[in-house]
């Protein structure tokens, strides 16, 4: 029997490898014409075994903005927007319509610049408050560390607007006193032990992409603050093809994880928009959600086993059973703990064979209501593609502003005949229509079948298929959009995105009310020009959807733009909560949203979480003060 | 709780008000037909979901909330869902408006003729119109006019048509439907009809509320209704009803709309069409059933002069701003929104507070004509006044009213005597001058001798007609007047004692006047503020004392309250003396009327206002609220159970014996 199984198993995996290779070939072929896989949309690292995240991150990444130092938007001498670098499809291209959109939308003017401080003024960085014995013992234990100001500043923040804005102005608040780089689980155990022994505050640091003020050092913290940078714990320790799992160190960055797994024909399918920089441990700590969760699930569905080092010791389960009835799932205390309980060091994750076939798509709807109704129906029939996202009209217009000058894949359906067809013949109003982008994955046959099913549903809601290119372009923009905020900040425009999840029946009302609240709050607070206030539905579930808002405005004439910004965001969150939205779908709570935790989970619920914290970390070693 | 904040935002004396334009002026100079047929393209709600009146019905019948209730009713009653659905559809049929532009044009034409015959001018604040036009585009609008006359909603639609504003749909009482033709005409000009009472009828309520909410949510049209529920026969504002207000607020509470604009509209009449009809109705002459022929008889009226009418569109009030900090909309997060939920206690309190707040906003912008002041003075001098004294006092009262913030339409730069004589001309049926004295006109016998009763009845008609003009001023004076009475009755000048008395009185009269619930302290402070401002009172450290020149003001204000104090006392006396412990409710009004009449005939009561059924009912409501009387249902009869001790003590209180109480002055 056993050998039988082995044989068939071997056969199976051999066949599978063939299939995958075939898949690659096929894809490559198609690439010549149109298709482009999601992986290739983000920055492409040429060598597959390329260096992972370096300790000195500032050498490849911006210290006061988003992403790689070599990639950024700017307006050239002719006033045309360009995207620099070589990493992205958009790199090196000119975006002729961005300027008009930018000036028209925000009332901004290219004459009115607000450039960032060019480089970090090291002398403005407060000297480290070191616990000498702790440092000595760490060194003795062989853990890499640094007190370099640049290293410390880099780990003092996430990517909230106020954090980046302050850096651009050269303002530095409370920052970590020391950065340490454990290289494995045991290093972390040592670090935590020493921290407990010497009463030092630890803040885990993954990819640094937090958007909840989770990485900010509490200014009132008097102990020495140590940033535990997990980036060097980045190995895939094993792959189990029988169970389709991989055991991975928690510091690995999303794109590295996917690329390495791809080499063996696998993927996790977990693709948060931040996957170029965010880490596995960060995902676990924030309950992250990936674009393709419809096929692969969110992080809580993907995780099979977690190891976390806490001041009480190491917490983990004794087996990897796919589901257990053993009381409340301890993983759920870890997921979403936001670095308050310990350091996640190793994770066993589900993996899947790389899909044979991918296809993009897009649908245009006469208005947002119809679009939402369609998504709702798709969710009802449980036939959501790997990803389905619905943009409102403003985002649709914005998408157009990002159209590069010359490139066949970037032609838009609003061009030429099609524009005529949709607006004149079908009676779509360009000021109301909105677009859904789709990504299908699987084997070719099924994808085509699936695609038909979705387009048939869409047709019932007045949706017209609008081509693969538009869909693909939408997903590609995902990775460059984050770079745009830095451009805005060069010209008095500040902005942010935030998200929520909400039952289906409240989606439309919530979107309308929140967008309107933003507009109104801006007006009341003296913002001179109406803000950009737009949303999209980014995920569908059986019982509701995830909605993502973008909000930006021109702050000329405001004495304290960040304060205004924060008031507006606060009001928008209140509006979300008043409209049955959740406090967060995936960004987490951090310090930014913790004032609402009690109302969100009830006093008793908060008490439960507190008691867990008190048990695991009575001395608040993990003192980032998130969540509670 | 809520009221405090809503209320304390108010400044007792409003800032400058808008100017008026006469909309009839153009009617007198150009073709009515052309006007009625003009191009009408109102600005609409920016998120309008276009939909025809007939489509509305389908929307309502297919709405989730109605389907839910239909199923519920079907399960409870055992009727098949289709049967219940059919019933709902009929209810809707009976209720729904059929707004048609052609009918509106017809009205625009005929009303132009009628208004020109009736009124010297119809004056509208155009700034208010502009604000409204803005508001209509921004958010769903609820129009809340005051209600003194049948004219009100015809006039509203007329004005809106004139200014090219969106025509409202109007909640009207079913009683109109008895006038077949008129009812249908009104329906086609936007009225929808609601039964007067449908207490426990779940289905009716569901159809009705869904109908209103659908129109509101979709921005179909401004929704108009009368907060007071019915026409005020006394020209006093009535305690607001909250049912419809609740309904129009719900879409906001549940997040279905971003905001709702509540627009109070104050419609003031120099002379009310129904003037003597109302007085007779209050005296128990049965109200003529609304009938088409009755309305036609009203043709006679067209030859009379009803002076000037003012329509003041108040500043739209954002429901969202009102609710800020009072309503947690997330309370609707946990139950599907289509399932009817009884509003939470604090929601109810909020709606009630807003209702009062809005009625006060209506009152604030009611325009007073000189006659309102003149009739106030005449009623305080039942034997008539020397014209010269009247002139002098009217001028004094004018200044007092202005300092209290009254919106007085007093002709600029005209001599007071001139103003009075022209008022007397318009109201010649109510007052006349003979031998230099001004007195009320009381109908006299033509031919046969009048019985003593008939004579008093006629006198009462005059008094009550006149009182309806005095009542227009009450919102200006009521708080200071209660304070004046309190100062008069309190055992000392101590602020806490005066407040105590004030509070007791305010409590008793809270069915009679618009006094926001829970705003006792604010009312007291407002009263003090006004009396200090006009120099009648001084506030010393812990005392409130009359100033040397305050006598005239305070005694005027006390007299103003006198009919109410006396009237309520008569009611108490009646319950104490003339009834058994148990009194069938339906016998109450006739009983107390007769009781009062006997007192008048015996010469021991001079207050004819005690005959007013409005006052009597308000007094009863107060007694029930204060638990001196209990309402008990026995079989199909409603009985009043009288606690004579409690009634007696209330009567003492009204007679000036304020019981000593522990001062409740934490916040003073
Ligand atoms: C442009 C952009 C796009 C984004 N898109 C998405 C998205 O699509 N989906 C999504 O879910 N999120 C998204 N995010 C948010 C962010 O990427 C996620 O919260 C992500 O999970 C954070 O991972 P990180 O490794 O960057 O963690 P960090 O930002 O470094 O840390 C976040 C929190 O987790 C804690 N933490 C980090 N590592 C560990 C560890 N090993 N053990 C214990 N605690 C740890 C930190 O202390 C901190 O509290 C986006 C953010 C940006 C800026």
């Amino acid at each position: 029997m056993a050998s039988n199984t082995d044989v068939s198993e071997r056969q199976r995996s051999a066949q599978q490898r063939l299939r995958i290779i075939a898949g690659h070939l096929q894809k490559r072929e198609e690439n010549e014409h149109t298709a482009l896989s999601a992986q290739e949309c983000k920055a492409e690292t040429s060598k597959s075994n390329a260096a992972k995240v370096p300790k000195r991150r500032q050498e490849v990444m911006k210290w006061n903005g988003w992403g790689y130092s070599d990639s950024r938007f700017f307006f050239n001498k002719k006033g045309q927007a360009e995207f620099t670098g070589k990493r992205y499809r958009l790199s090196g291209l000119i975006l002729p319509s961005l300027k008009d959109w930018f000036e028209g939308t925000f009332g901004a003017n290219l004459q009115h610049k607000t450039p960032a401080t060019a480089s970090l003024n090291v002398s403005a960085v407060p000297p480290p408050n070191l616990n000498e014995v702790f440092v000595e013992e760490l060194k003795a234990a062989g853990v890499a560390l640094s007190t370099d100001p640049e290293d410390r500043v880099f780990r003092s923040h996430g990517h909230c607007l106020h954090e980046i804005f302050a850096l651009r102005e050269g303002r530095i608040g409370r920052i970590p006193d020391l950065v340490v780089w454990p290289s494995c689980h045991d290093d972390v155990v040592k670090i935590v032990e020493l921290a407990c022994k010497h009463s030092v505050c630890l803040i885990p640091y993954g990819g640094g992409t937090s958007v909840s003020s989770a990485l900010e050092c509490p200014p009132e913290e008097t102990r020495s603050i140590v940033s535990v940078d997990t980036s060097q714990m980045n190995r895939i320790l094993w792959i189990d093809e029988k169970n389709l799992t991989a055991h991975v160190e928690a510091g690995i960055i999303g794109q590295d994880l996917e690329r390495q797994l791809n080499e063996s024909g696998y993927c996790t399918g977990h693709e948060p928009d931040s996957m170029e920089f965010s880490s596995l441990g960060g995902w676990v700590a924030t309950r992250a959600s990936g674009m393709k969760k419809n096929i692969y699930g969110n992080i809580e569905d993907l995780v099979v086993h977690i190891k976390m080092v806490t001041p009480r010791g190491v917490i983990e389960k004794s087996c990897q059973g796919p589901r257990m009835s053993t009381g409340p799932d301890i993983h759920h205390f870890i997921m979403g703990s936001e670095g308050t309980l310990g350091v996640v060091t190793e994770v066993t994750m589900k993996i899947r064979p790389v899909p044979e076939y991918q296809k993009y798509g897009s649908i245009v709807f006469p208005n947002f209501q119809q679009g939402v109704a369609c998504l709702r129906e798709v969710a009802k029939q449980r036939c959501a593609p790997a990803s389905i996202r619905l943009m409102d009209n403003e985002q649709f217009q914005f998408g157009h502003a990002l159209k590069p000058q010359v490139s066949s894949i970037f032609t838009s359906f609003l061009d030429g005949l099609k524009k005529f067809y949709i607006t004149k013949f079908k009676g779509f109003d360009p000021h109301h229509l909105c677009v859904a982008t789709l990504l299908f994955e699987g084997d070719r046959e099924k994808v085509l079948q699936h695609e038909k099913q979705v387009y048939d549903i869409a047709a019932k809601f007045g949706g017209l298929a609008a081509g693969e290119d538009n869909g693909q372009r939408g997903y590609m923009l995902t990775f460059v959009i984050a770079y745009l905020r830095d451009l805005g900040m060069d010209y008095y425009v500040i902005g942010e995105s935030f998200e929520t999840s909400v039952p289906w029946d409240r989606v439309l009302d919530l979107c309308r009310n929140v967008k309107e609240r933003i507009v109104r709050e801006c007006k009341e607070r003296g913002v001179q020009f109406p803000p950009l206030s737009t949303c999209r539905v980014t995920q569908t579930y059986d019982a509701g959807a995830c909605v993502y808002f973008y909000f930006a405005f021109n702050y000329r004439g405001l004495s304290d733009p960040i304060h205004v910004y924060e008031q507006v965001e606060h009001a928008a969150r209140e509006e979300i909560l008043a409209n049955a939205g959740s406090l967060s779908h995936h960004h987490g709570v951090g310090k930014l949203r913790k004032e609402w935790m009690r109302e969100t989970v009830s006093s008793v619920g908060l008490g439960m979480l507190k008691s867990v914290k008190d048990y695991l970390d009575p001395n608040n070693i993990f003192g980032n003060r998130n969540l509670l | 709780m809520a009221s405090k904040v809503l209320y304390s935002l108010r400044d007792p004396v409003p800032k400058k008000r808008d100017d008026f334009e006469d909309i009839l002026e153009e009617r007198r100079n150009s073709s009515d037909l052309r006007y009625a047929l003009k191009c009408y393209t109102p600005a609409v709600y920016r998120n309008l979901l276009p939909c025809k009146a007939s489509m509305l019905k389908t929307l309502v019948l297919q709405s989730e909330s109605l389907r839910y209730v239909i199923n519920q009713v079907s399960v409870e009653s055992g009727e098949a869902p289709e049967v219940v659905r059919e019933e709902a559809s009929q209810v809707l049929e009976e209720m729904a408006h059929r707004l048609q532009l052609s009918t509106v044009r017809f009205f625009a034409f005929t009303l132009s003729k009628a208004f020109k015959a009736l009124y010297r001018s119809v004056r509208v604040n155009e700034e208010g119109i502009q604000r409204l036009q803005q508001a209509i585009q921004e958010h769903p609008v609820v129009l809340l006019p005051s209600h003194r006359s049948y004219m009100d909603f015809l006039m509203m639609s007329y004005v809106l048509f004139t200014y090219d504003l969106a025509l409202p749909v109007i909640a009207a009482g079913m009683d109109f439907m008895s006038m077949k033709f008129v009812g249908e005409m009104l329906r086609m000009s936007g009225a929808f009809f609601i039964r007067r009472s449908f207490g426990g009828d779940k289905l009716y309520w569901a159809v009705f509320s869904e109908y209103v909410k659908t129109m509101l949510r979709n921005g179909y049209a401004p929704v108009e209704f009368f907060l007071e529920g019915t026409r005020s026969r006394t020209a006093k504002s009535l305690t607001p009803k909250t049912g419809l207000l609740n309904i129009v607020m719900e879409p906001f509470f549940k997040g279905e709309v971003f905001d709702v604009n509540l627009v109070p509209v104050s419609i003031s009449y120099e002379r009310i069409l129904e003037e003597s009809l109302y007085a007779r109705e209050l005296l128990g002459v049965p109200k003529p059933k609304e009938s088409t022929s009755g309305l036609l008889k009203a043709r006679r009226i067209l030859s009379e002069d009803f002076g000037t009418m003012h329509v003041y569109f108040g500043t739209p009030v954002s429901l969202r701003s009102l609710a800020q900090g009072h309503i947690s909309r997330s309370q609707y997060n946990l139950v599907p929104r289509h399932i009817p939920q009884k509003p939470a206690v604090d929601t109810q309190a909020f709606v009630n507070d807003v209702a009062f707040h809005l009625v006060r906003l209506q009152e604030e912008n009611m325009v007073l004509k000189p006659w309102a002041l003149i009739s106030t003075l005449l009623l305080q001098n039942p034997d008539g006044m020397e014209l010269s004294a009247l002139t002098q006092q009217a001028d004094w009262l004018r200044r007092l009213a202005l300092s209290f913030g009254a919106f007085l339409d007093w002709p600029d730069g005209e001599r007071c005597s001139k103003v009075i004589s022209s008022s007397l001309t318009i109201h010649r049926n109510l007052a006349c001058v003979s031998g230099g004295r001004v007195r009320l006109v009381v109908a006299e016998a033509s031919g046969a001798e009048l019985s003593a009763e008939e004579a008093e009845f006629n006198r009462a008609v005059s008094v009550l007609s006149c009182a309806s003009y005095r009542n227009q001023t009450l919102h200006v004076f009521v708080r200071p007047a209660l304070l004046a009475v309190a100062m008069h009755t309190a055992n000392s000048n101590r602020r806490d004692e005066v407040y105590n008395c004030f509070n007791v009185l305010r409590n008793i009269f809270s069915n009679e006047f618009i006094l926001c619930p829970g705003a006792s302290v604010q009312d007291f402070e407002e009263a003090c503020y006004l009396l200090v401002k006009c120099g009648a009172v001084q506030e010393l450290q812990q005392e409130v004392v009359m100033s040397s020149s305050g006598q005239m003001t305070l005694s005027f204000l006390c007299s103003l309250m006198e009919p109410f104090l006396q009237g309520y006392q008569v009611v108490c006396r009646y319950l104490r003396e003339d009834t058994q412990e148990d009194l069938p409710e339906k016998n109450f009004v006739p009983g107390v009327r007769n009781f009062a009449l006997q007192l008048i005939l015996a010469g021991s009561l001079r207050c004819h206002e005690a005959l007013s059924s409005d006052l009597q009912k308000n007094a009863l409501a107060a007694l029930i609220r204060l638990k001196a009387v209990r309402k008990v249902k026995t079989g199909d009869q409603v009985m009043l159970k009288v606690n004579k001790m409690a009634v007696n003590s209330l009567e003492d209180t009204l007679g000036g014996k304020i019981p000593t109480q522990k001062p409740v002055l934490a916040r003073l």
Side-chain angles (χ1 to χ4, degrees), chain B residues 121-170:
Chain B
S121 59
V122 172
R123 301 166 64 80
V124 176
N125 66 326
E126 294 194 338
E127 284 157 71
I129 293 286
Q130 277 158 21
R131 287 189 299 251
L132 177 59
Q133 180 170 25
Q134 205 64 44
I136 285 175
Q137 296 171 59
E138 285 281 306
H139 303 294
V141 161
V142 178
L143 291 167
L144 301 163
S146 58
H147 202 12
R148 303 285 173 271
S149 166
Y150 278 142
M151 266 310 144
D152 292 327
F153 69 79
L154 296 176
M155 184 51 90
M156 282 291 291
S157 297
Y158 184 84
V159 171
L160 296 174
F161 177 77
T162 303
Y163 285 104
D164 225 19
L165 290 183
L167 289 166
V169 290
I170 309 136

Side-chain angles (χ1 to χ4, degrees), chain A residues 102-257:
Chain A
F102 183 70
E103 293 187 330
T105 304
F106 297 108
N109 186 324
L110 298 196
Q111 309 309 311
H112 300 145
K113 289 202 69 174
T114 43
T117 2
S119 57
L120 176 63
N121 175 5
V122 177
S123 62
V125 177
N129 160 26
L130 293 177
N131 183 317
E132 299 296 346
V133 205
F134 173 75
V135 176
E136 283 317 310
E137 292 190 29
L138 264 190
K139 280 185 181 156
V143 176
L145 50 81
S146 160
T147 55
D148 172 73
E150 284 185 2
D151 289 338
R152 288 158 53 219
V153 167
F154 200 98
R155 286 155 189 85
S156 66
H157 66 88
H159 282 271
C160 288
L161 174 70
H162 67 268
E163 295 172 313
I164 300 301
F165 195 87
L167 289 175
R168 286 172 61 95
E169 295 201 326
R171 280 186 283 119
I172 312 287
R174 179 79 163 98
I175 62 168
D177 299 297
L178 182 71
V179 180
V180 300
W181 285 274
S183 57
C184 61
H185 171 82
D186 291 342
D187 278 357
V188 175
V189 173
K190 278 182 231 159
I191 293 168
V192 173
E193 269 171 16
L194 289 176
C196 291
K197 185 166 155 204
H198 299 294
S199 186
V200 159
C201 171
L202 299 181
I203 299 185
Y205 183 92
T209 63
S210 160
V211 280
S212 61
S213 301
L215 293 171
E216 267 181 339
C217 298
E220 65 273 27
E221 180 59 67
T222 52
R223 295 172 295 184
S224 180
I225 298 181
V226 176
S227 177
V228 183
D229 183 331
T230 59
S231 61
Q232 307 309 305
M233 306 198 299
N234 54 21
R235 291 166 298 170
I236 297 179
L237 296 176
W238 45 254
I239 292 177
D240 176 348
E241 294 187 286
K242 296 199 185 65
N243 295 306
L244 286 180
T245 54
H247 191 68
V248 188
E249 287 184 313
I252 195 164
I253 293 304
Q255 59 170 328
D256 294 342
L257 175 61

Side-chain angles (χ1 to χ4, degrees), chain A residues 310-329:
Chain A
T310 80
R312 274 276 165 195
V314 175
I315 176 174
E316 64 179 318
K317 292 185 187 174
S318 67
C319 70
Q320 311 204 78
R323 179 184 186 274
M324 300 181 205
S325 175
T326 49
D329 190 337

